Amino acid sequence: MSEPWFVEAFKAGYLDVYPHRDLAEAKREAEFLQAHGVGGIVVDVCCGYGRHCRALRDLGVRTFGVDLSTDLLGRAIELYPDLRGRIVCGDARALPFATSSADAAVSLFSSFGYFGEAGDLGLLREVGRVLRPGAAFVLDLLNPDRVRADLVPFSVSSGAGLEIEERRSLADGGRRVIKEVVHRARDGSIRSWREDVRLYSAAELEPWLGEVGIGFEAAFGDFDGSAVSPRSPRQILLGRRR
Ligand SMILES: C[S@@+](CC[C@H](N)C(=O)[O-])C[C@H]1O[C@@H](n2cnc3c(N)ncnc32)[C@H](O)[C@@H]1O
């Protein structure tokens, strides 16, 4: 049986598709996170190759990451060896952390909307479980309005012996965005995968957050703290565990 898309998609080639999602960007975002109450013991849910763990730790925040991708976690240890023992391979729907053990949690760069509505709610329930009362939760999502308005159906990028084709489409009446990637690697090998992300509005997520014990506090359109608008680059929700 083939693996779910969120296993196939986040192997080594993923990093070639998003080279700008780097440590420099994570450092800027970490400052915003810290200014909005992300401190103490923090869980980075779906930490990828650990760039926010690194950036938050550089600010003195005791951050622990969890991710399902052994390729990305391996890359994290190569790049940031002192994250060893602080990032763990696990499923975000069954977080490997004790109940009420975290002072904050973050889910960054569109790491939500992968598991169907029941699975997505299950992930939020897990976040609610590990947060202590008063803890902050930051959920950084695609902005659905902007994704729908700006969708580029096809693009190719190449350089340094690498070529990446991306085909994008909407499904479910615009509720999901699908990206099909063909990755021609430097060694000539070709791999393809798809990303399939449910686009959630704040209005859809607010009741779910409430259901898992997280009160909605604010929404931002980017890590500069600007308001959400149809054109804002992101949709960043800030909540607090009751
Ligand atoms: C878009 S990437 C973002 C990674 C990271 N937050 C960043 O900003 O670089 C989404 C991440 O979710 C991880 N992921 C997907 N499904 C997961 C699951 N069920 N449990 C834990 N991590 C998962 C992927 O392996 C990938 O690293």
Side-chain angles (χ1 to χ4, degrees), residues 10 14 46 48 51-52 67-68 72 90-92 108-109 111 114:
F10 299 111
Y14 160 83
C46 301
R51 61 193 181 117
H52 293 100
D67 201 281
L68 204 52
L72 297 187
D91 196 312
L108 301 169
F109 183 37
S111 298
Y114 295 180

Side-chain angles (χ1 to χ4, degrees), residues 6-7 10 14 18 21 25 29 44-52 66-69 72 90-93 107-111 114-115 123:
F6 52 84
V7 173
F10 299 111
Y14 160 83
Y18 299 98
R21 303 303 187 183
E25 181 188 68
E29 296 174 356
D44 182 356
V45 181
C46 301
C47 65
Y49 73 98
R51 61 193 181 117
H52 293 100
V66 58
D67 201 281
L68 204 52
S69 168
L72 297 187
D91 196 312
R93 294 165 294 177
S107 167
L108 301 169
F109 183 37
S110 323
S111 298
Y114 295 180
F115 312 118
L123 185 153

Side-chain angles (χ1 to χ4, degrees), residues 3-4 21 27 31 36 87 100 110 121 132 139 156 165 173 197 199 222 225 229 238:
E3 292 174 316
R21 303 303 187 183
K27 281 182 182 291
E31 283 175 14
H36 289 83
I87 52 175
S100 299
S110 323
L121 176 59
R132 65 152 177 81
L139 182 56
V156 184
E165 275 179 27
V197 179
L199 301 168
D222 205 352
S229 77
L238 172 64

Side-chain angles (χ1 to χ4, degrees), residues 72 85 117 120 134 199 224 240:
L72 297 187
E117 292 191 0
D120 294 340
L199 301 168
D224 58 6
R240 193 161 304 279

Side-chain angles (χ1 to χ4, degrees), residues 124 127-128 131 137 206 209-210 212-216 239-242:
L124 293 180
V127 171
L131 292 178
F137 176 46
E206 270 187 56
L209 289 170
V212 306
I214 299 174
F216 172 79
R240 193 161 304 279
R241 184 73 170 94
R242 295 200 182 94

Side-chain angles (χ1 to χ4, degrees), residues 24-222:
E25 181 188 68
K27 281 182 182 291
R28 290 190 293 275
E29 296 174 356
E31 283 175 14
F32 170 94
L33 295 171
Q34 192 177 41
H36 289 83
V38 173
I41 295 179
V42 175
V43 175
D44 182 356
V45 181
C46 301
C47 65
Y49 73 98
R51 61 193 181 117
H52 293 100
C53 294
R54 168 75 283 141
L56 283 164
R57 281 194 165 265
D58 287 347
L59 294 176
V61 178
R62 296 173 61 201
T63 310
F64 297 85
V66 58
D67 201 281
L68 204 52
S69 168
T70 50
D71 277 12
L72 297 187
L73 292 169
R75 185 77 183 125
I77 299 298
E78 269 171 37
L79 289 169
Y80 320 120
D82 62 332
L83 288 185
R84 191 180 291 282
R86 291 164 173 155
I87 52 175
V88 62
C89 186
D91 196 312
R93 294 165 294 177
L95 290 171
F97 302 109
T99 298
S100 299
S101 58
D103 299 311
V106 295
S107 167
L108 301 169
F109 183 37
S110 323
S111 298
F112 184 78
Y114 295 180
F115 312 118
E117 292 191 0
D120 294 340
L121 176 59
L123 185 153
L124 293 180
R125 203 177 298 289
E126 272 297 89
V127 171
R129 181 185 65 75
V130 303
L131 292 178
R132 65 152 177 81
F137 176 46
V138 176
L139 182 56
D140 162 35
L141 303 166
L142 292 164
N143 175 358
D145 289 338
R146 177 136 178 197
V147 170
R148 291 177 193 126
D150 286 2
L151 199 80
V152 177
F154 179 69
S155 63
V156 184
S157 54
S158 57
L162 188 73
E163 188 178 87
I164 296 162
E165 275 179 27
E166 295 170 273
R167 282 185 177 72
R168 303 173 190 83
S169 58
L170 295 170
D172 265 358
R175 277 190 289 271
R176 284 163 44 220
V177 61
I178 295 175
K179 187 197 280 194
E180 301 185 75
V181 180
V182 178
H183 179 275
R184 293 186 178 81
R186 293 172 188 87
D187 64 4
S189 62
I190 300 181
R191 216 170 70 74
S192 57
W193 65 84
R194 80 197 315 247
E195 299 171 9
D196 184 343
V197 179
R198 168 72 152 91
L199 301 168
Y200 286 105
S201 65
E204 286 175 296
L205 290 177
E206 270 187 56
W208 283 12
L209 289 170
E211 201 175 318
V212 306
I214 299 174
F216 172 79
E217 282 201 340
F220 304 95
D222 205 352

